Amino acid sequence: DVKVTQSSRYLVKRTGEKVFLECVQDMDHENMFWYRQDPGLGLRLIYFSYDVKMKEKGDIPEGYSVSREKKERFSLILESASTNQTSMYLCATQGASTNTEAFFGQGTRLTVV
Amino acid sequence: AQSVTQLGSHVSVSEGALVLLRCNYSSSVPPYLFWYVQYPNQGLQLLLKYTSAATLVKGINGFEAEFKKSETSFHLTKPSAHMSDAAEYFCAVSDGGGSNYKLTFGKGTLLTVNP
């Protein structure tokens, strides 16, 4: 079974804090993604990575950065958390073949107060 | 650019009734299409996928979807709803070319099943 593990299920952080969300996969997948999910808006892509140390902006990268130092780990960083970043964050992985599905972690529900 | 439209943000059916969740896509090349389900406070789980083989795709939990190129649709159906089907459903498309392997998701349809 594919396993995509997000470090926290629930997080509460204060405005202005630097926040790290970690995602680890055990499937040796090349592609990894960070989405945020908000009611009525579906899933929106923040950043993705197709190789170690490679990253590309998704649709809503503002206020976020990412790091991929190892193939199995993809981190999302909120440099200075704001209340409008309160959301559900989902990590996903995908093999290199274009017709393969993405596998998702359980999600991290982040609240910024 | 690829896009997905899910018609109806909320669908309510009675237990035992037909489930029909609508998805239309836009893609400049033959697409790969996916349906995912999300139960409360969980990640997304793949229901089924279309990858240019058979146009009628069967998935888990009795769901199936039909790819109709002329209608640019990939609607999800289940003949008889069960209480356990209550969840949010997402349609997704991938162009599959170059850096476009990433999935673009619709906004989701919340399915409610009434006893």
Side-chain angles (χ1 to χ4, degrees), chain B residues 15-90:
Chain B
E15 192 172 19
L18 171 72
V19 175
L20 170 61
L21 305 182
R22 299 177 187 274
C23 172
N24 289 89
Y25 69 90
S26 166
S27 174
S28 57
V29 299
Y32 300 109
L33 294 158
F34 307 82
W35 274 100
Y36 283 85
V37 60
Q38 184 181 35
Y39 299 103
N41 294 316
Q42 295 196 21
L44 275 67
Q45 177 185 357
L46 182 73
L47 272 180
L48 49 81
K49 64 180 181 181
Y50 167 75
T51 57
S52 76
T55 55
L56 182 62
V57 181
K58 295 188 184 298
I60 62 171
N61 301 338
F63 284 92
E64 62 183 36
E66 186 172 8
F67 172 68
K68 292 187 176 180
K69 184 178 178 180
S70 60
E71 299 177 8
T72 60
S73 69
F74 191 57
H75 302 331
L76 182 71
T77 60
K78 182 174 181 178
S80 177
H82 192 272
M83 297 294 290
S84 61
D85 295 326
E88 190 156 24
Y89 292 80
F90 293 91

Side-chain angles (χ1 to χ4, degrees), chain A residues 9 37 45 50 98 101-102 105, chain B residues 36 38 41 43 49 90 96 101:
Chain A
R9 291 296 304 275
Q37 181 182 13
L45 183 63
Y50 51 88
T98 54
E101 64 269 31
Chain B
Y36 283 85
Q38 184 181 35
N41 294 316
K49 64 180 181 181
F90 293 91
Y101 49 77

Side-chain angles (χ1 to χ4, degrees), chain A:
Chain A
D1 272 1
V2 174
K3 192 152 190 181
V4 183
T5 303
Q6 295 184 229
S7 52
S8 304
R9 291 296 304 275
Y10 301 94
L11 272 181
V12 180
K13 296 292 182 180
R14 294 193 179 278
T15 300
E17 275 193 79
K18 190 168 187 176
V19 180
F20 293 87
L21 303 184
E22 306 285 344
C23 177
V24 178
Q25 51 113 348
D26 66 356
M27 282 301 292
D28 201 34
H29 282 170
E30 289 75 11
N31 306 329
M32 296 188 75
F33 308 84
W34 275 106
Y35 291 90
R36 68 175 280 177
Q37 181 182 13
D38 300 287
L41 298 179
L43 276 73
R44 293 180 292 168
L45 183 63
I46 304 171
Y47 267 98
F48 64 102
S49 168
Y50 51 88
D51 201 352
V52 175
K53 297 191 185 293
M54 305 302 288
K55 61 184 179 184
E56 288 198 26
K57 294 180 180 179
D59 300 317
I60 52 163
E62 296 77 20
Y64 304 94
S65 62
V66 291
S67 173
R68 194 168 181 198
E69 296 296 318
K70 294 184 178 181
K71 188 175 185 178
E72 68 271 19
R73 187 179 297 268
F74 191 37
S75 303
L76 179 69
I77 304 156
L78 286 65
E79 296 290 342
S80 177
S82 64
T83 55
N84 63 13
Q85 292 178 310
T86 291
S87 188
M88 169 72 98
Y89 290 88
L90 292 166
C91 174
T93 76
Q94 183 191 41
S97 175
T98 54
N99 66 355
T100 59
E101 64 269 31
F103 295 87
F104 283 81
Q106 292 287 79
T108 297
R109 188 166 293 282
L110 172 66
T111 302
V112 182
V113 298

